[in-house]
Amino acid sequence: MSYKTETLKIGVIGTGAIGEDHIRRCMQSLSGAEIVAVTDVNLVRAREVADKYASQAKVPEDGESLIALPEVEAVIVTSWGGTHAQYVLEAIRHGKYVFCEKPLATTAADCLKIVEAEAAHGKRLVQVGFMRPYDSGYRALKALIDKGEIGEVLMIHAAHRNQRVGANYKTDMGITDTLVHELDVFRWMLGDDYVSAQVIFPRRTSKAMEHMRDPQIVLLETKKGIRIDVEIFVNCQYGYDIKCAVVGELGEASLPAPPAVELRKAASLSTEIMTDWKERFIAAYDVEVQDFINGVKAGKLNGATSWDGYCASVAADACVKAQESGRIEPITMSPRPGLYGG
């Protein structure tokens, strides 16, 4: 099937907040694609979103039916995480490209099934929705590291802070829903894999729900011996704040803050801090999904692979285990198939 001169016809599974936003960007912000089918466990919601952005789109009864539609050339999976593996595997079975929001699957075992299915197919069909490598700040930071501007990397000091989280947020989600972005982007930025993880709990904030331990500090070690500490603080109250400082033999490089107007007023100097994570990385999402569209049409995907999704899942599992054990937990992975670089 050739996509080079056609508008790519996409089906979307899942019409929650991120699903609706991807439908909007495909129809209103990006080029070369249109949404031709939409579905959700709540079909009424699916029809509402389709009518809002793509009124001609079909609304099949489930994800498998959507994937099987002959007019659907590529699939975007934004349903709840527990369903990702079944839909991605089904897309591979049909030989269709699929963009799957993180996580690729909720267990490392299911991620590995996807890796093995894609490797058996013999061609990359899957892109995982890790958007930070598409953020201009992270790209600039990686370019500086790759050029050797700070010499060999020794350490990374990072923080992932949310203003607050809801009652359904549990302590382990600090890893699986929050830290997972750092787990992916640091592998990409350093070209290195993790070998161990430890989790330390500082004094608990009174702003957290009773069932939640917050903040927490994750300590990672890579194969090259780079040490990484990441503060996860999801009830920090003041805003959404992402920090990353990379320390090398010759200097330090820090992730730039998003642009903000400097305000001088009433004998004070201030800049606004974002509170919405979608706004912080909205440009990265646009670039990421456009890259998927372009990659499908060119027959070659460039974004995060199924293997990247598997590696993030293995590291996350080790971190969750470290939360419970209080010990340094090893991170070990299966051999990497040649499809992903060998």
Side-chain angles (χ1 to χ4, degrees):
M1 183 183 294
S2 174
Y3 306 95
K4 294 183 179 179
T5 59
E6 301 173 359
T7 298
L8 182 66
K9 296 176 175 59
I10 296 175
V12 179
I13 303 171
T15 53
I18 191 66
E20 179 177 353
D21 207 34
H22 283 335
I23 291 168
R24 175 201 58 78
R25 61 173 40 92
C26 285
M27 295 299 291
Q28 297 182 355
S29 302
L30 308 181
S31 63
E34 65 175 322
I35 304 301
V36 298
V38 173
T39 194
D40 190 272
V41 65
N42 182 343
L43 290 176
V44 173
R45 164 71 178 171
R47 183 72 266 171
E48 289 173 349
V49 173
D51 287 343
K52 187 175 181 180
Y53 299 104
S55 59
Q56 302 303 311
K58 291 183 178 179
V59 182
E61 62 182 12
D62 55 41
E64 286 83 1
S65 300
L66 179 144
I67 293 167
L69 288 173
E71 62 266 41
V72 170
E73 298 171 328
V75 180
I76 293 178
V77 176
T78 51
S79 51
W80 69 280
T83 65
H84 287 188
Q86 71 186 76
Y87 295 139
V88 173
L89 287 168
E90 185 71 3
I92 293 172
R93 191 174 73 83
H94 281 78
K96 294 186 178 182
Y97 288 94
V98 55
F99 177 96
C100 180
E101 269 300 342
K102 65 89 180 168
L104 175 61
T106 52
T107 67
D110 278 346
C111 287
L112 191 57
K113 288 179 183 177
I114 293 170
V115 165
E116 291 170 346
E118 190 176 32
H121 180 79
K123 180 182 179 182
R124 270 201 66 190
L125 294 176
V126 181
Q127 180 172 329
V128 184
F130 288 121
M131 80 302 194
R132 290 205 188 172
Y134 289 94
D135 175 72
S136 59
Y138 278 106
R139 289 193 170 206
L141 190 55
K142 178 174 172 56
L144 189 147
I145 293 169
D146 290 346
K147 287 191 293 184
E149 290 290 335
I150 59 172
E152 294 295 328
V153 175
L154 308 176
M155 298 173 284
I156 294 180
H157 307 298
H160 189 145
R161 297 174 183 162
N162 290 66
Q163 189 173 26
R164 63 182 65 87
V165 291
N168 66 327
Y169 193 100
K170 306 296 191 296
T171 301
D172 64 327
M173 293 172 67
I175 304 299
T176 58
D177 280 40
T178 301
L179 178 73
V180 69
H181 287 290
E182 277 78 15
L183 292 176
D184 175 73
V185 78
F186 293 156
R187 281 187 68 251
W188 166 81
M189 200 163 63
L190 298 172
D192 201 1
D193 280 316
Y194 307 115
V195 296
S196 71
Q198 183 180 11
V199 179
I200 297 171
F201 291 98
R203 181 181 179 183
R204 181 181 174 277
T205 175
S206 63
K207 306 301 182 182
M209 299 284 182
E210 286 297 323
H211 63 269
M212 187 192 312
R213 299 180 73 180
D214 185 47
Q216 52 189 299
I217 297 171
V218 180
L219 306 174
L220 299 162
E221 182 182 7
T222 74
K223 286 183 177 180
K224 295 177 183 176
I226 299 168
R227 291 288 186 167
I228 302 169
D229 59 87
V230 188
E231 170 205 315
I232 307 299
F233 189 9
V234 294
N235 292 281
C236 77
Q237 304 301 298
Y238 72 85
Y240 181 71
D241 199 7
I242 303 298
K243 298 177 180 292
C244 178
V246 183
V247 181
E249 293 177 311
L250 304 178
E252 176 184 291
S254 295
L255 182 72
V261 174
E262 184 178 273
L263 176 63
R264 297 170 184 266
K265 183 179 179 182
S268 67
L269 176 65
S270 64
T271 55
E272 185 178 3
I273 296 174
M274 291 182 175
T275 59
D276 188 343
W277 58 269
K278 294 189 298 297
E279 290 300 316
R280 169 63 177 84
F281 289 107
I282 189 169
Y285 280 114
D286 287 346
V287 177
E288 174 190 41
V289 178
Q290 185 68 67
D291 188 48
F292 172 72
I293 293 168
N294 295 346
V296 172
K297 294 172 78 173
K300 183 180 180 181
L301 299 180
N302 300 301
T305 67
S306 296
W307 180 253
D308 294 323
Y310 165 73
C311 291
S313 183
V314 171
D317 285 353
C319 290
V320 171
K321 186 176 181 180
Q323 284 181 328
E324 299 166 354
S325 72
R327 298 189 296 267
I328 298 173
E329 298 291 348
I331 299 174
T332 58
M333 289 175 287
S334 298
R336 180 168 56 181
L339 180 65
Y340 310 103

